[in-house]
Amino acid sequence: MRVGDTVRRPLGPHSPLVHAVLAHLEAVGFAGSPRFRGLDGRGREVLTFIEGEVAGRPHPPWLADDSRLASVARLLRAYDDAVAGFAPPAHLLEPVAPPELPGMPPEPDAAPELIGHLDITPENVVFRGGEAVALIDFDLVRPATRVDEVVNLCLHWAPLAPERDRSDALRRVDAVVRTRLVADAYGLDGAGRARLVPTAVRRTERSWHLMRHRAQTLGGGWARMWDDGVGEKIQRRLAWLEAEGERISAAL
Ligand SMILES: Nc1ncnc2c1ncn2[C@@H]1O[C@H](COP(=O)(O)OP(=O)(O)O)[C@@H](O)[C@H]1O
Ligand SMILES: [Mg+2]
């Protein structure tokens, strides 16, 4: 909820880590995130409101602009560089550790490099003058690699999905070309490029198990998403990645 020049958001088990990340970003002078201003009388977090343009639903056509996409990748790079010096105490990480589920493949074996944002959806990026200027919604932060971050951005923006599962705005864009564009604008190194497709595949496989687990244990919106077919959608993404993976890796 917006209140004046702030937004008020509900807390969750992840919130202490989010608040520590936002405090670190403020301390290092990173301009591309809201500031954390404590809790209000109703126990909600208070964040500064960031003026600008944010995509909603239906997705606006400008999501297909390559120059906007490059600016999102540069912003993510700036966030990753700003957060890389942040080493949270272990107790903040416990609530965000993913559960180990039977049948779920393990995380990719690269060691985490930073506290990733990992939710770079169009709805979580603020633009001004056609340039991405801020990330919002840090609820999914947790230890990640730079490749995880780039994969997450590409999932939503390339997008790494078959045409039937894309919004109209992104239906006909060339996801292979846009993935390369993201890697270039982010400045992903050669080793990271080589790991991008396998990481996307593994993360997609894991997300099927994690989404099913959340639907079963948390119910609510998670159960509705599962009933609406998010599991099948994840399977279609996997099939798409298997079909297009070689082209993506070659383009990278
Ligand atoms: N700090 C902020 N500055 C500007 N807009 C915001 C801010 N926080 C949220 N919003 C707006 O509200 C929407 C939903 O907020 P968000 O924090 O992403 O919550 P959710 O968990 O529902 O995705 C965003 O897509 C954006 O339009
Ligand atoms: Mg959001």
Side-chain angles (χ1 to χ4, degrees):
M1 177 179 291
R2 182 171 178 181
V3 180
D5 59 0
T6 68
V7 295
R8 313 296 172 97
R9 303 175 79 259
L11 301 180
H14 53 276
S15 298
L17 176 62
V18 173
H19 299 160
V21 167
L22 294 178
H24 170 83
L25 295 174
E26 181 167 14
V28 299
F30 177 69
S33 62
R35 300 297 179 226
F36 173 56
R37 293 288 178 250
L39 305 185
D40 71 7
R42 295 197 215 165
R44 299 173 299 188
E45 64 184 16
V46 180
L47 306 177
T48 55
F49 181 83
I50 300 176
E51 288 295 344
E53 185 183 26
V54 182
R57 297 274 177 170
H59 277 159
W62 51 253
L63 287 186
D65 290 357
D66 287 348
S67 63
R68 294 239 191 188
L69 179 60
S71 78
V72 178
R74 288 192 301 268
L75 174 63
L76 181 63
R77 175 59 188 253
Y79 164 75
D80 284 349
D81 289 349
V83 86
F86 173 57
H91 73 272
L92 295 183
L93 296 179
E94 278 160 27
V96 301
E100 280 313 317
L101 303 171
M104 182 171 74
E107 300 226 0
D109 54 15
E113 298 163 286
L114 43 82
I115 303 299
H117 182 286
L118 299 176
D119 198 17
I120 313 294
T121 62
E123 293 84 357
N124 288 340
V125 180
V126 182
F127 289 84
R128 280 197 298 267
E131 280 264 314
V133 294
L135 301 175
I136 55 176
D137 193 356
F138 286 69
D139 285 357
L140 297 190
V141 290
R142 63 183 186 82
T145 61
R146 290 177 181 275
V147 179
D148 290 326
E149 292 275 81
V150 171
V151 163
N152 183 269
L153 194 168
C154 289
L155 283 188
H156 301 292
W157 291 82
L160 304 179
E163 285 192 11
R164 66 176 281 191
D165 290 327
R166 301 179 185 183
S167 63
D168 286 339
L170 296 176
R171 186 97 53 208
R172 306 254 172 251
V173 299
D174 188 334
V176 176
V177 169
R178 281 165 66 90
T179 300
R180 168 68 194 262
L181 186 155
V182 168
D184 289 349
Y186 182 92
L188 190 64
D189 64 15
R193 288 169 197 245
R195 276 170 31 227
L196 193 147
V197 170
T199 301
V201 169
R202 180 63 63 84
R203 292 279 170 213
T204 302
E205 290 168 341
R206 283 175 60 84
S207 73
W208 185 87
H209 290 269
L210 289 165
M211 294 296 284
R212 187 179 60 162
H213 176 74
R214 288 181 195 130
Q216 288 168 345
T217 57
L218 301 174
W222 297 106
R224 275 195 299 280
M225 280 168 72
W226 191 259
D227 293 341
D228 287 347
V230 72
E232 286 88 27
K233 203 168 159 181
I234 293 169
Q235 293 300 342
R236 290 195 294 271
R237 187 199 300 283
L238 206 47
W240 185 90
L241 282 168
E242 269 149 19
E244 298 294 328
E246 271 180 38
R247 280 182 65 220
I248 297 171
S249 291
L252 288 166

